Amino acid sequence: MYIWVGIKVEDQLKMVKAQAQRIENEIGFDHSNFTLPLHISLKISFPIEDAQYEIYAEEIRKIYRNTKPFEIKVRGIELENNIAWIRMEKSKALESLSTQINMVMLEKYGVQLHEYDMDFKFHTTMFMDDNESKVKFAFDKLKDCPIPSILLANKFVIGVSPSGKLGTYKVIEEINV
């Protein structure tokens, strides 16, 4: 199984999500990005043994519970290769949270850092597909959609996937602080 962690921002991005879902339906992507709530990723998902889930999840819960709510500045809707996302400004709070998760997973469980974890681009994915032209078309339709300039990090999620493939993840836990 694969484990995934993030900040849930679904409630704060309802308008842009509704617009993005209309666009996604119109274009017809192979996989919907909206099988999960909108979230800001904190680390690249990583494989674990199914029986080890509770051990890893407890470490992540501890980190989340010790995190005070904080604000996240939104940079805007951007296109990066085959992904259209809402990009967040880096901040001490975001980087600290991500680093804590990475270091605990590395030091206690040997979960190696992925190259993206080294210089993580905090984001909420709107569209992702192997067909870059579809993503660009969707991005062009969404790029001027109004989005909040600030989001509040006060809801955190842990999710899993049996395969690590897009569309197979589901939220297992939500932690409110």
Side-chain angles (χ1 to χ4, degrees), residues 122-135:
F122 299 102
H123 65 278
T124 298
T125 302
M126 302 309 293
F127 307 108
M128 185 160 90
D129 195 89
D130 291 334
N131 184 329
E132 284 187 38
S133 62
K134 273 187 182 179
V135 175

Side-chain angles (χ1 to χ4, degrees), residues 6-9 38-40 42 70 72 94 97 153 155-157:
I7 302 167
K8 184 178 174 186
V9 290
L38 291 183
H39 63 278
I40 299 168
L42 292 169
F70 61 92
I72 302 165
L94 271 173
L97 184 56
K155 294 179 182 180
F156 302 93
V157 288

Side-chain angles (χ1 to χ4, degrees), residues 21-171:
Q21 283 181 304
R22 282 191 291 277
I23 294 166
E24 181 186 78
N25 291 335
E26 176 186 318
I27 294 172
F29 285 93
D30 291 336
H31 300 284
S32 175
N33 208 50
F34 302 111
T35 56
L36 286 173
L38 291 183
H39 63 278
I40 299 168
S41 301
L42 292 169
K43 175 177 182 31
I44 297 295
S45 64
F46 56 95
I48 63 169
E49 291 183 31
D50 292 7
Q52 299 295 310
Y53 171 78
E54 189 51 43
I55 295 167
Y56 286 81
E58 184 53 31
E59 294 290 347
I60 296 164
R61 280 186 216 107
K62 285 180 198 173
I63 293 168
Y64 284 164
R65 288 183 185 130
N66 288 318
T67 300
K68 297 202 181 322
F70 61 92
E71 291 184 344
I72 302 165
K73 290 183 182 176
V74 177
R75 195 163 136 174
I77 301 173
E78 297 180 355
L79 180 65
E80 176 110 0
N81 301 319
N82 68 329
I83 302 172
W85 58 24
I86 300 173
R87 182 84 180 272
M88 310 305 156
E89 293 287 339
K90 284 190 176 187
S91 69
K92 286 182 183 179
L94 271 173
E95 288 186 349
S96 174
L97 184 56
S98 179
T99 298
Q100 284 179 66
I101 292 167
N102 281 323
M103 290 302 96
V104 166
M105 293 299 118
L106 176 64
E107 292 169 3
K108 285 193 171 185
Y109 306 105
V111 175
Q112 296 299 307
L113 295 176
H114 187 279
E115 67 179 280
Y116 294 129
D117 289 325
M118 307 288 193
D119 182 28
F120 204 82
K121 294 178 176 145
F122 299 102
H123 65 278
T124 298
T125 302
M126 302 309 293
F127 307 108
M128 185 160 90
D129 195 89
D130 291 334
N131 184 329
E132 284 187 38
S133 62
K134 273 187 182 179
V135 175
K136 179 163 182 358
F137 186 69
F139 165 77
D140 286 339
K141 291 177 136 307
L142 187 68
K143 68 183 178 185
D144 295 324
C145 183
I147 55 174
S149 59
I150 304 254
L151 299 172
L152 181 62
N154 66 346
K155 294 179 182 180
F156 302 93
V157 288
I158 303 171
V160 297
S161 162
S163 65
K165 293 184 180 171
L166 185 64
T168 65
Y169 283 88
K170 63 180 180 176
V171 172

